[in-house]
PDB file of all heavy atoms in Angstrom:
ATOM      1  N   ASN A  49     -17.320  -0.108  -2.113  1.00  0.00           N
ATOM      2  CA  ASN A  49     -16.404   0.798  -1.577  1.00  0.00           C
ATOM      3  C   ASN A  49     -15.181   0.966  -2.494  1.00  0.00           C
ATOM      4  O   ASN A  49     -14.227   1.782  -2.060  1.00  0.00           O
ATOM      5  CB  ASN A  49     -15.992   0.479  -0.226  1.00  0.00           C
ATOM      6  CG  ASN A  49     -16.892   1.081   0.872  1.00  0.00           C
ATOM      7  OD1 ASN A  49     -17.809   1.884   0.643  1.00  0.00           O
ATOM      8  ND2 ASN A  49     -16.756   0.574   2.103  1.00  0.00           N
ATOM      9  N   SER A  50     -15.134   0.324  -3.696  1.00  0.00           N
ATOM     10  CA  SER A  50     -13.879   0.304  -4.392  1.00  0.00           C
ATOM     11  C   SER A  50     -13.493   1.769  -5.026  1.00  0.00           C
ATOM     12  O   SER A  50     -12.273   2.124  -5.298  1.00  0.00           O
ATOM     13  CB  SER A  50     -13.952  -0.645  -5.585  1.00  0.00           C
ATOM     14  OG  SER A  50     -15.066  -0.415  -6.380  1.00  0.00           O
ATOM     15  N   VAL A  51     -14.485   2.555  -5.060  1.00  0.00           N
ATOM     16  CA  VAL A  51     -14.304   3.981  -5.367  1.00  0.00           C
ATOM     17  C   VAL A  51     -13.444   4.758  -4.467  1.00  0.00           C
ATOM     18  O   VAL A  51     -12.529   5.625  -4.853  1.00  0.00           O
ATOM     19  CB  VAL A  51     -15.614   4.635  -5.777  1.00  0.00           C
ATOM     20  CG1 VAL A  51     -15.361   6.201  -6.120  1.00  0.00           C
ATOM     21  CG2 VAL A  51     -16.407   4.103  -6.911  1.00  0.00           C
ATOM     22  N   VAL A  52     -13.690   4.582  -3.098  1.00  0.00           N
ATOM     23  CA  VAL A  52     -12.956   5.383  -2.143  1.00  0.00           C
ATOM     24  C   VAL A  52     -11.893   4.576  -1.462  1.00  0.00           C
ATOM     25  O   VAL A  52     -11.115   5.245  -0.836  1.00  0.00           O
ATOM     26  CB  VAL A  52     -14.109   5.887  -1.147  1.00  0.00           C
ATOM     27  CG1 VAL A  52     -14.589   4.693  -0.317  1.00  0.00           C
ATOM     28  CG2 VAL A  52     -13.600   7.004  -0.268  1.00  0.00           C
ATOM     29  N   ALA A  53     -11.879   3.305  -1.508  1.00  0.00           N
ATOM     30  CA  ALA A  53     -10.858   2.521  -0.634  1.00  0.00           C
ATOM     31  C   ALA A  53      -9.368   3.005  -1.041  1.00  0.00           C
ATOM     32  O   ALA A  53      -8.538   2.974   0.023  1.00  0.00           O
ATOM     33  CB  ALA A  53     -11.065   1.006  -1.043  1.00  0.00           C
ATOM     34  N   PRO A  54      -9.042   3.149  -2.254  1.00  0.00           N
ATOM     35  CA  PRO A  54      -7.608   3.596  -2.557  1.00  0.00           C
ATOM     36  C   PRO A  54      -7.164   4.825  -1.780  1.00  0.00           C
ATOM     37  O   PRO A  54      -6.007   4.934  -1.331  1.00  0.00           O
ATOM     38  CB  PRO A  54      -7.624   3.898  -3.983  1.00  0.00           C
ATOM     39  CG  PRO A  54      -8.804   2.912  -4.617  1.00  0.00           C
ATOM     40  CD  PRO A  54      -9.741   2.982  -3.540  1.00  0.00           C
ATOM     41  N   SER A  55      -8.114   5.715  -1.606  1.00  0.00           N
ATOM     42  CA  SER A  55      -7.666   6.970  -0.758  1.00  0.00           C
ATOM     43  C   SER A  55      -7.399   6.569   0.619  1.00  0.00           C
ATOM     44  O   SER A  55      -6.729   7.232   1.408  1.00  0.00           O
ATOM     45  CB  SER A  55      -8.814   8.000  -0.886  1.00  0.00           C
ATOM     46  OG  SER A  55     -10.062   7.664  -0.292  1.00  0.00           O
ATOM     47  N   VAL A  56      -8.264   5.669   1.147  1.00  0.00           N
ATOM     48  CA  VAL A  56      -8.028   5.160   2.544  1.00  0.00           C
ATOM     49  C   VAL A  56      -6.703   4.567   2.724  1.00  0.00           C
ATOM     50  O   VAL A  56      -5.905   4.855   3.701  1.00  0.00           O
ATOM     51  CB  VAL A  56      -9.189   4.219   2.975  1.00  0.00           C
ATOM     52  CG1 VAL A  56      -8.951   3.649   4.310  1.00  0.00           C
ATOM     53  CG2 VAL A  56     -10.556   4.911   2.953  1.00  0.00           C
ATOM     54  N   VAL A  57      -6.254   3.718   1.745  1.00  0.00           N
ATOM     55  CA  VAL A  57      -5.068   3.105   1.836  1.00  0.00           C
ATOM     56  C   VAL A  57      -3.873   4.120   1.806  1.00  0.00           C
ATOM     57  O   VAL A  57      -2.884   4.067   2.594  1.00  0.00           O
ATOM     58  CB  VAL A  57      -4.910   2.064   0.708  1.00  0.00           C
ATOM     59  CG1 VAL A  57      -3.389   1.432   0.744  1.00  0.00           C
ATOM     60  CG2 VAL A  57      -5.920   0.856   0.998  1.00  0.00           C
ATOM     61  N   GLN A  58      -3.956   5.053   0.912  1.00  0.00           N
ATOM     62  CA  GLN A  58      -3.038   6.092   0.783  1.00  0.00           C
ATOM     63  C   GLN A  58      -2.834   6.949   2.099  1.00  0.00           C
ATOM     64  O   GLN A  58      -1.695   7.220   2.450  1.00  0.00           O
ATOM     65  CB  GLN A  58      -3.432   7.099  -0.404  1.00  0.00           C
ATOM     66  CG  GLN A  58      -3.061   6.520  -1.756  1.00  0.00           C
ATOM     67  CD  GLN A  58      -3.238   7.583  -2.826  1.00  0.00           C
ATOM     68  OE1 GLN A  58      -3.861   8.663  -2.648  1.00  0.00           O
ATOM     69  NE2 GLN A  58      -2.859   7.285  -4.083  1.00  0.00           N
ATOM     70  N   SER A  59      -3.939   7.176   2.754  1.00  0.00           N
ATOM     71  CA  SER A  59      -3.829   7.934   3.964  1.00  0.00           C
ATOM     72  C   SER A  59      -3.097   7.098   5.037  1.00  0.00           C
ATOM     73  O   SER A  59      -2.266   7.578   5.738  1.00  0.00           O
ATOM     74  CB  SER A  59      -5.220   8.175   4.559  1.00  0.00           C
ATOM     75  OG  SER A  59      -5.784   9.320   3.793  1.00  0.00           O
ATOM     76  N   ALA A  60      -3.420   5.768   5.104  1.00  0.00           N
ATOM     77  CA  ALA A  60      -2.602   4.934   5.941  1.00  0.00           C
ATOM     78  C   ALA A  60      -1.156   4.902   5.571  1.00  0.00           C
ATOM     79  O   ALA A  60      -0.345   4.891   6.524  1.00  0.00           O
ATOM     80  CB  ALA A  60      -3.331   3.483   5.918  1.00  0.00           C
ATOM     81  N   GLU A  61      -0.859   4.899   4.244  1.00  0.00           N
ATOM     82  CA  GLU A  61       0.500   4.752   3.928  1.00  0.00           C
ATOM     83  C   GLU A  61       1.328   6.035   4.418  1.00  0.00           C
ATOM     84  O   GLU A  61       2.421   5.968   4.778  1.00  0.00           O
ATOM     85  CB  GLU A  61       0.646   4.565   2.509  1.00  0.00           C
ATOM     86  CG  GLU A  61       0.250   3.144   1.974  1.00  0.00           C
ATOM     87  CD  GLU A  61       0.151   3.044   0.410  1.00  0.00           C
ATOM     88  OE1 GLU A  61       0.236   3.996  -0.148  1.00  0.00           O
ATOM     89  OE2 GLU A  61       0.090   1.820   0.040  1.00  0.00           O
ATOM     90  N   LEU A  62       0.748   7.171   4.048  1.00  0.00           N
ATOM     91  CA  LEU A  62       1.374   8.410   4.717  1.00  0.00           C
ATOM     92  C   LEU A  62       1.700   8.451   6.135  1.00  0.00           C
ATOM     93  O   LEU A  62       2.649   8.760   6.619  1.00  0.00           O
ATOM     94  CB  LEU A  62       0.527   9.637   4.279  1.00  0.00           C
ATOM     95  CG  LEU A  62       1.150  11.028   4.798  1.00  0.00           C
ATOM     96  CD1 LEU A  62       2.519  11.197   4.084  1.00  0.00           C
ATOM     97  CD2 LEU A  62       0.227  12.125   4.459  1.00  0.00           C
ATOM     98  N   ALA A  63       0.712   8.044   6.864  1.00  0.00           N
ATOM     99  CA  ALA A  63       0.771   8.062   8.409  1.00  0.00           C
ATOM    100  C   ALA A  63       1.924   7.046   8.831  1.00  0.00           C
ATOM    101  O   ALA A  63       2.681   7.391   9.582  1.00  0.00           O
ATOM    102  CB  ALA A  63      -0.575   7.562   9.063  1.00  0.00           C
ATOM    103  N   VAL A  64       1.918   5.901   8.195  1.00  0.00           N
ATOM    104  CA  VAL A  64       2.963   4.975   8.483  1.00  0.00           C
ATOM    105  C   VAL A  64       4.323   5.520   8.192  1.00  0.00           C
ATOM    106  O   VAL A  64       5.357   5.249   8.901  1.00  0.00           O
ATOM    107  CB  VAL A  64       2.605   3.626   7.898  1.00  0.00           C
ATOM    108  CG1 VAL A  64       3.973   2.620   8.031  1.00  0.00           C
ATOM    109  CG2 VAL A  64       1.526   2.837   8.686  1.00  0.00           C
ATOM    110  N   GLU A  65       4.459   6.083   6.965  1.00  0.00           N
ATOM    111  CA  GLU A  65       5.737   6.619   6.535  1.00  0.00           C
ATOM    112  C   GLU A  65       6.324   7.676   7.612  1.00  0.00           C
ATOM    113  O   GLU A  65       7.344   7.657   7.953  1.00  0.00           O
ATOM    114  CB  GLU A  65       5.576   7.263   5.159  1.00  0.00           C
ATOM    115  CG  GLU A  65       6.888   8.016   4.756  1.00  0.00           C
ATOM    116  CD  GLU A  65       6.679   8.722   3.463  1.00  0.00           C
ATOM    117  OE1 GLU A  65       6.132   8.044   2.531  1.00  0.00           O
ATOM    118  OE2 GLU A  65       7.081   9.861   3.215  1.00  0.00           O
ATOM    119  N   GLU A  66       5.300   8.564   7.984  1.00  0.00           N
ATOM    120  CA  GLU A  66       5.659   9.604   8.966  1.00  0.00           C
ATOM    121  C   GLU A  66       6.153   9.031  10.383  1.00  0.00           C
ATOM    122  O   GLU A  66       7.072   9.543  10.881  1.00  0.00           O
ATOM    123  CB  GLU A  66       4.566  10.574   9.057  1.00  0.00           C
ATOM    124  CG  GLU A  66       4.317  11.467   7.782  1.00  0.00           C
ATOM    125  CD  GLU A  66       3.074  12.280   7.946  1.00  0.00           C
ATOM    126  OE1 GLU A  66       2.255  11.989   8.866  1.00  0.00           O
ATOM    127  OE2 GLU A  66       2.901  13.213   7.229  1.00  0.00           O
ATOM    128  N   ILE A  67       5.360   8.062  10.800  1.00  0.00           N
ATOM    129  CA  ILE A  67       5.610   7.416  12.065  1.00  0.00           C
ATOM    130  C   ILE A  67       6.997   6.650  11.982  1.00  0.00           C
ATOM    131  O   ILE A  67       7.749   6.819  12.946  1.00  0.00           O
ATOM    132  CB  ILE A  67       4.499   6.495  12.440  1.00  0.00           C
ATOM    133  CG1 ILE A  67       3.292   7.265  12.785  1.00  0.00           C
ATOM    134  CG2 ILE A  67       4.871   5.627  13.691  1.00  0.00           C
ATOM    135  CD1 ILE A  67       2.001   6.692  12.988  1.00  0.00           C
ATOM    136  N   ASN A  68       7.273   5.941  10.919  1.00  0.00           N
ATOM    137  CA  ASN A  68       8.448   5.302  10.988  1.00  0.00           C
ATOM    138  C   ASN A  68       9.728   6.264  10.665  1.00  0.00           C
ATOM    139  O   ASN A  68      10.712   5.878  11.330  1.00  0.00           O
ATOM    140  CB  ASN A  68       8.403   4.267   9.755  1.00  0.00           C
ATOM    141  CG  ASN A  68       7.711   2.935  10.026  1.00  0.00           C
ATOM    142  OD1 ASN A  68       7.557   2.566  11.151  1.00  0.00           O
ATOM    143  ND2 ASN A  68       7.071   2.326   9.094  1.00  0.00           N
ATOM    144  N   ALA A  69       9.497   7.316  10.207  1.00  0.00           N
ATOM    145  CA  ALA A  69      10.603   8.332   9.964  1.00  0.00           C
ATOM    146  C   ALA A  69      10.996   8.741  11.340  1.00  0.00           C
ATOM    147  O   ALA A  69      12.061   9.275  11.671  1.00  0.00           O
ATOM    148  CB  ALA A  69      10.225   9.424   9.019  1.00  0.00           C
ATOM    149  N   LYS A  70       9.922   8.717  12.330  1.00  0.00           N
ATOM    150  CA  LYS A  70      10.173   9.157  13.617  1.00  0.00           C
ATOM    151  C   LYS A  70      10.516   8.059  14.658  1.00  0.00           C
ATOM    152  O   LYS A  70      10.588   8.395  15.811  1.00  0.00           O
ATOM    153  CB  LYS A  70       9.000  10.025  14.166  1.00  0.00           C
ATOM    154  CG  LYS A  70       8.798  11.322  13.529  1.00  0.00           C
ATOM    155  CD  LYS A  70       9.756  12.453  13.993  1.00  0.00           C
ATOM    156  CE  LYS A  70       9.345  13.801  13.647  1.00  0.00           C
ATOM    157  NZ  LYS A  70      10.270  14.828  14.201  1.00  0.00           N
ATOM    158  N   GLY A  71      10.972   7.065  14.127  1.00  0.00           N
ATOM    159  CA  GLY A  71      11.353   5.962  15.042  1.00  0.00           C
ATOM    160  C   GLY A  71      10.272   4.821  15.268  1.00  0.00           C
ATOM    161  O   GLY A  71      10.511   3.945  16.117  1.00  0.00           O
ATOM    162  N   GLY A  72       9.046   4.937  14.519  1.00  0.00           N
ATOM    163  CA  GLY A  72       8.112   3.896  14.754  1.00  0.00           C
ATOM    164  C   GLY A  72       7.336   3.995  16.007  1.00  0.00           C
ATOM    165  O   GLY A  72       7.086   5.086  16.508  1.00  0.00           O
ATOM    166  N   ILE A  73       6.838   2.998  16.464  1.00  0.00           N
ATOM    167  CA  ILE A  73       5.969   2.890  17.694  1.00  0.00           C
ATOM    168  C   ILE A  73       6.747   2.080  18.783  1.00  0.00           C
ATOM    169  O   ILE A  73       6.928   0.960  18.544  1.00  0.00           O
ATOM    170  CB  ILE A  73       4.533   2.306  17.425  1.00  0.00           C
ATOM    171  CG1 ILE A  73       3.791   3.246  16.455  1.00  0.00           C
ATOM    172  CG2 ILE A  73       3.800   2.151  18.802  1.00  0.00           C
ATOM    173  CD1 ILE A  73       2.422   2.681  16.043  1.00  0.00           C
ATOM    174  N   LEU A  74       7.122   2.710  19.768  1.00  0.00           N
ATOM    175  CA  LEU A  74       7.936   1.976  20.898  1.00  0.00           C
ATOM    176  C   LEU A  74       9.238   1.528  20.235  1.00  0.00           C
ATOM    177  O   LEU A  74       9.649   0.421  20.602  1.00  0.00           O
ATOM    178  CB  LEU A  74       7.219   1.089  21.579  1.00  0.00           C
ATOM    179  CG  LEU A  74       5.869   1.361  22.367  1.00  0.00           C
ATOM    180  CD1 LEU A  74       5.273   0.100  22.998  1.00  0.00           C
ATOM    181  CD2 LEU A  74       6.179   2.403  23.383  1.00  0.00           C
ATOM    182  N   GLY A  75       9.687   2.167  19.271  1.00  0.00           N
ATOM    183  CA  GLY A  75      10.935   1.781  18.680  1.00  0.00           C
ATOM    184  C   GLY A  75      10.785   0.779  17.657  1.00  0.00           C
ATOM    185  O   GLY A  75      11.793   0.313  16.981  1.00  0.00           O
ATOM    186  N   LYS A  76       9.513   0.344  17.390  1.00  0.00           N
ATOM    187  CA  LYS A  76       9.241  -0.819  16.325  1.00  0.00           C
ATOM    188  C   LYS A  76       8.714  -0.115  15.058  1.00  0.00           C
ATOM    189  O   LYS A  76       7.936   0.761  15.078  1.00  0.00           O
ATOM    190  CB  LYS A  76       8.276  -1.707  16.961  1.00  0.00           C
ATOM    191  CG  LYS A  76       8.883  -2.402  18.135  1.00  0.00           C
ATOM    192  CD  LYS A  76       7.863  -3.406  18.771  1.00  0.00           C
ATOM    193  CE  LYS A  76       8.271  -4.200  19.982  1.00  0.00           C
ATOM    194  NZ  LYS A  76       7.191  -5.034  20.331  1.00  0.00           N
ATOM    195  N   LYS A  77       9.208  -0.777  13.899  1.00  0.00           N
ATOM    196  CA  LYS A  77       8.594  -0.385  12.674  1.00  0.00           C
ATOM    197  C   LYS A  77       7.284  -0.747  12.637  1.00  0.00           C
ATOM    198  O   LYS A  77       6.699  -1.756  13.072  1.00  0.00           O
ATOM    199  CB  LYS A  77       9.435  -1.021  11.498  1.00  0.00           C
ATOM    200  CG  LYS A  77      10.897  -0.626  11.352  1.00  0.00           C
ATOM    201  CD  LYS A  77      11.538  -1.437  10.241  1.00  0.00           C
ATOM    202  CE  LYS A  77      12.956  -0.907  10.064  1.00  0.00           C
ATOM    203  NZ  LYS A  77      13.667  -1.620   8.947  1.00  0.00           N
ATOM    204  N   VAL A  78       6.428   0.098  11.861  1.00  0.00           N
ATOM    205  CA  VAL A  78       5.006  -0.173  11.524  1.00  0.00           C
ATOM    206  C   VAL A  78       4.784  -0.758  10.186  1.00  0.00           C
ATOM    207  O   VAL A  78       5.449  -0.281   9.266  1.00  0.00           O
ATOM    208  CB  VAL A  78       4.278   1.179  11.723  1.00  0.00           C
ATOM    209  CG1 VAL A  78       2.775   0.935  11.540  1.00  0.00           C
ATOM    210  CG2 VAL A  78       4.432   1.856  13.117  1.00  0.00           C
ATOM    211  N   VAL A  79       4.065  -1.809  10.247  1.00  0.00           N
ATOM    212  CA  VAL A  79       3.890  -2.496   8.953  1.00  0.00           C
ATOM    213  C   VAL A  79       2.370  -2.532   8.637  1.00  0.00           C
ATOM    214  O   VAL A  79       1.518  -2.705   9.623  1.00  0.00           O
ATOM    215  CB  VAL A  79       4.342  -3.987   9.026  1.00  0.00           C
ATOM    216  CG1 VAL A  79       4.172  -4.784   7.697  1.00  0.00           C
ATOM    217  CG2 VAL A  79       5.864  -3.967   9.360  1.00  0.00           C
ATOM    218  N   LEU A  80       1.940  -2.432   7.434  1.00  0.00           N
ATOM    219  CA  LEU A  80       0.577  -2.394   7.054  1.00  0.00           C
ATOM    220  C   LEU A  80       0.273  -3.791   6.436  1.00  0.00           C
ATOM    221  O   LEU A  80       1.001  -4.254   5.569  1.00  0.00           O
ATOM    222  CB  LEU A  80       0.098  -1.336   5.974  1.00  0.00           C
ATOM    223  CG  LEU A  80       0.281   0.038   6.424  1.00  0.00           C
ATOM    224  CD1 LEU A  80      -0.154   0.986   5.332  1.00  0.00           C
ATOM    225  CD2 LEU A  80      -0.629   0.405   7.743  1.00  0.00           C
ATOM    226  N   GLU A  81      -0.940  -4.394   6.835  1.00  0.00           N
ATOM    227  CA  GLU A  81      -1.381  -5.552   6.016  1.00  0.00           C
ATOM    228  C   GLU A  81      -2.785  -5.151   5.636  1.00  0.00           C
ATOM    229  O   GLU A  81      -3.703  -4.881   6.319  1.00  0.00           O
ATOM    230  CB  GLU A  81      -1.513  -6.801   7.032  1.00  0.00           C
ATOM    231  CG  GLU A  81      -0.139  -7.479   7.449  1.00  0.00           C
ATOM    232  CD  GLU A  81       0.388  -8.255   6.274  1.00  0.00           C
ATOM    233  OE1 GLU A  81      -0.285  -8.434   5.274  1.00  0.00           O
ATOM    234  OE2 GLU A  81       1.542  -8.792   6.362  1.00  0.00           O
ATOM    235  N   VAL A  82      -2.973  -5.111   4.244  1.00  0.00           N
ATOM    236  CA  VAL A  82      -4.085  -4.748   3.642  1.00  0.00           C
ATOM    237  C   VAL A  82      -4.949  -5.916   3.179  1.00  0.00           C
ATOM    238  O   VAL A  82      -4.167  -6.785   2.411  1.00  0.00           O
ATOM    239  CB  VAL A  82      -3.960  -3.661   2.476  1.00  0.00           C
ATOM    240  CG1 VAL A  82      -5.364  -3.278   1.937  1.00  0.00           C
ATOM    241  CG2 VAL A  82      -3.272  -2.396   3.047  1.00  0.00           C
ATOM    242  N   ALA A  83      -6.197  -6.004   3.336  1.00  0.00           N
ATOM    243  CA  ALA A  83      -7.016  -7.198   2.908  1.00  0.00           C
ATOM    244  C   ALA A  83      -8.282  -6.655   2.346  1.00  0.00           C
ATOM    245  O   ALA A  83      -8.953  -5.817   3.001  1.00  0.00           O
ATOM    246  CB  ALA A  83      -7.254  -8.169   4.030  1.00  0.00           C
ATOM    247  N   ASP A  84      -8.608  -7.135   1.221  1.00  0.00           N
ATOM    248  CA  ASP A  84      -9.975  -6.760   0.620  1.00  0.00           C
ATOM    249  C   ASP A  84     -11.076  -7.351   1.286  1.00  0.00           C
ATOM    250  O   ASP A  84     -11.131  -8.728   1.300  1.00  0.00           O
ATOM    251  CB  ASP A  84      -9.896  -7.245  -0.937  1.00  0.00           C
ATOM    252  CG  ASP A  84     -11.072  -6.812  -1.750  1.00  0.00           C
ATOM    253  OD1 ASP A  84     -11.809  -5.954  -1.156  1.00  0.00           O
ATOM    254  OD2 ASP A  84     -11.302  -7.217  -2.813  1.00  0.00           O
ATOM    255  N   ASP A  85     -12.052  -6.794   1.854  1.00  0.00           N
ATOM    256  CA  ASP A  85     -13.248  -7.264   2.382  1.00  0.00           C
ATOM    257  C   ASP A  85     -14.386  -7.324   1.375  1.00  0.00           C
ATOM    258  O   ASP A  85     -15.543  -7.618   1.676  1.00  0.00           O
ATOM    259  CB  ASP A  85     -13.679  -6.554   3.712  1.00  0.00           C
ATOM    260  CG  ASP A  85     -14.094  -5.023   3.380  1.00  0.00           C
ATOM    261  OD1 ASP A  85     -14.467  -4.695   2.203  1.00  0.00           O
ATOM    262  OD2 ASP A  85     -14.175  -4.261   4.327  1.00  0.00           O
ATOM    263  N   ALA A  86     -14.168  -6.798   0.105  1.00  0.00           N
ATOM    264  CA  ALA A  86     -15.199  -6.877  -0.958  1.00  0.00           C
ATOM    265  C   ALA A  86     -16.455  -6.106  -0.573  1.00  0.00           C
ATOM    266  O   ALA A  86     -17.334  -6.302  -1.182  1.00  0.00           O
ATOM    267  CB  ALA A  86     -15.564  -8.265  -1.328  1.00  0.00           C
TER     268      ALA A  86
END
Side-chain angles (χ1 to χ4, degrees):
N49 273 353
S50 61
V51 173
V52 71
S55 67
V56 175
V57 175
Q58 286 187 347
S59 287
E61 289 174 347
L62 177 63
V64 167
E65 174 181 316
E66 292 174 341
I67 289 169
N68 281 334
K70 287 286 191 177
I73 298 177
L74 297 182
K76 299 180 180 182
K77 291 180 180 178
V78 183
V79 178
L80 296 180
E81 286 283 354
V82 180
D84 182 14
D85 67 19

